[in-house]
């Protein structure tokens, strides 16, 4: 293997400066990058999709864990040279570089997802972090898990429980699809340039009970409920025909507010609405 260069030096050599509008806050500390890569468990024999590899710090730590293949999706083409240099150091790992906007790609159609077991990983660009998550939820059947870095505030919303101000539409729909575990917080000091907020690494493991029709219904339902989160659930869902009877049947107190209803109760309600459409 050719001696690897430091990511910071590669950036300097290629005269690349971080672009704020692309959410470019890089991690250079190899101990931290290795800790993130290790947190996704053994990956030999598995395929990895990394969103936003940037100058490849995390990519390098992942390659050292010897996955079967790695697919990199990066919008900023100025990293092409660096990423090619890094990946060519690991000839035993099949690498696939895609220079495109992740929001414009149909990730479920990627070749790698057809025949492989895949793990997603990303230090997400924060300006689109929730959009990226919502884009891949519910996971394709070949996705084993996803490990994503979010702004701490967004991570707190994702894992929030009922009766909490942070409990939101995002909490309900993400927790319906996945068991979500906090891995660790990361101080903003470790990023270059330093962002205004701290970060948090979360792991998402898909639940095998997820049903796409219920998921879609849940999205509509939680949009209505949380749009008017100070109203009682009876009022915020009043446009749904027969809502009073449904709430009664499911033993849901019609005076409670959006943030008081568990994921299970929202799911039961969504299931009833799906079943009703099928009749
Ligand atoms: N993985 C690197 C690290 O940990 O140091 C960089 C992470 S940086 C927070 C986010 C990366 O996502 C940047 O490289 C940025 O160019 C890329 N990015 C931003 N918007 C993107 C998009 N729409 N599609 C794909 N990549 C994007």
């Amino acid at each position: 293997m050719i001696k690897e260069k430091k990511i910071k030096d590669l950036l300097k050599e290629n005269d690349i400066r971080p672009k704020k509008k692309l959410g470019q806050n890089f991690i250079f500390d190899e101990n931290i990058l290795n800790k993130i890569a290790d947190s996704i468990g053994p990956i030999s024999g598995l395929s990895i999709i990394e969103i936003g590899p940037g100058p490849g710090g995390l990519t390098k730590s992942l390659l050292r864990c010897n996955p079967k293949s790695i697919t990199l999706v990066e919008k900023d083409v100025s990293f092409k040279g660096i990423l090619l240099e890094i990946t060519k150091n690991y000839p035993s790992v099949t690498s696939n570089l895609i220079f495109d906007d992740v929001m414009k790609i149909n990730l479920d159609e990627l070749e790698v997802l057809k025949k492989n077991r895949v793990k997603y990983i990303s230090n997400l660009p924060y300006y689109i972090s929730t959009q990226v998550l919502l884009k891949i939820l519910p996971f394709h059947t070949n996705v084993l898990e996803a490990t994503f870095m979010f702004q701490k505030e967004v991570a707190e919303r994702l894992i929030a429980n009922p009766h909490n101000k942070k409990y939101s539409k995002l909490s309900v729909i993400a927790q319906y699809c996945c068991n979500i575990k906090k891995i660790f917080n990361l101080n903003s000091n470790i990023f270059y340039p330093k962002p205004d907020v701290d970060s948090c690494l979360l792991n998402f493991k898909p639940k095998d009970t997820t049903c796409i029709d219920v998921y879609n219904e849940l999205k509509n339902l939680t949009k209505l409920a949380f749009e008017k989160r100070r109203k009682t659930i009876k009022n915020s869902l009043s446009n749904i025909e027969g809502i009073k009877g449904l709430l009664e049947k499911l033993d849901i107190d019609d005076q409670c507010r959006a943030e008081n209803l568990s994921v299970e109760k929202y799911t039961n309600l969504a299931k009833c609405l799906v079943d009703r459409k099928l009749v």
Side-chain angles (χ1 to χ4, degrees), residues 142-156:
N142 283 342
V143 174
L144 295 177
E145 61 175 53
T147 301
F148 288 147
M149 183 96 75
F150 291 92
Q151 277 171 262
K152 204 168 152 214
E153 289 70 17
V154 176
E156 283 168 353

Side-chain angles (χ1 to χ4, degrees), residues 222-278:
T222 49
K223 183 167 185 283
L224 287 176
F226 284 96
E227 238 168 24
K228 299 165 191 152
R229 59 187 296 151
R230 292 177 58 80
K231 284 194 174 184
T232 63
I233 204 81
K234 187 179 90 178
N235 283 341
S236 55
L237 301 182
S238 61
N239 280 347
I240 298 175
E241 204 191 313
I243 188 67
K244 197 170 179 303
L246 277 178
L247 293 175
E248 217 172 277
K249 181 177 150 196
L250 296 170
D251 201 19
I252 298 172
D253 174 5
D254 64 7
Q255 293 305 303
C256 76
R257 294 174 208 285
E259 68 186 39
N260 304 122
L261 227 56
S262 66
V263 175
E264 192 190 352
K265 295 268 186 199
Y266 275 113
T267 306
N268 291 342
L269 192 49
K271 276 182 186 158
C272 276
L273 295 171
V274 169
D275 289 347
R276 202 162 76 171
K277 281 181 191 160
L278 295 176

Side-chain angles (χ1 to χ4, degrees), residues 22-27 50 52-55 58 73-76 79 100-102 123-125 127-128:
L22 287 180
Q24 293 183 352
N25 301 96
F26 307 129
I27 306 176
E50 187 192 355
L58 182 56
V73 183
E74 173 58 60
K75 186 171 180 180
D76 188 348
F79 295 120
D100 206 340
D101 183 337
V102 69
N123 172 14
L124 287 168
Y127 75 104
I128 47 165

Side-chain angles (χ1 to χ4, degrees), residues 92-146:
S92 63
V93 182
T94 307
S95 40
N96 178 23
L97 278 63
I98 302 170
F99 287 94
D100 206 340
D101 183 337
V102 69
M103 297 312 293
K104 293 193 180 144
I105 303 175
N106 186 344
L107 293 161
D108 283 355
E109 292 291 313
L110 287 179
E111 204 51 40
V112 65
L113 267 168
K114 299 211 167 110
K115 291 190 196 123
N116 300 283
R117 293 185 307 145
V118 171
K119 289 189 179 188
Y120 273 110
I121 189 160
S122 179
N123 172 14
L124 287 168
Y126 291 159
Y127 75 104
I128 47 165
S129 61
T130 49
Q131 288 98 309
V132 174
L133 178 68
L134 293 174
K135 186 179 167 70
I136 63 170
L137 283 179
F139 293 166
H140 183 287
T141 45
N142 283 342
V143 174
L144 295 177
E145 61 175 53

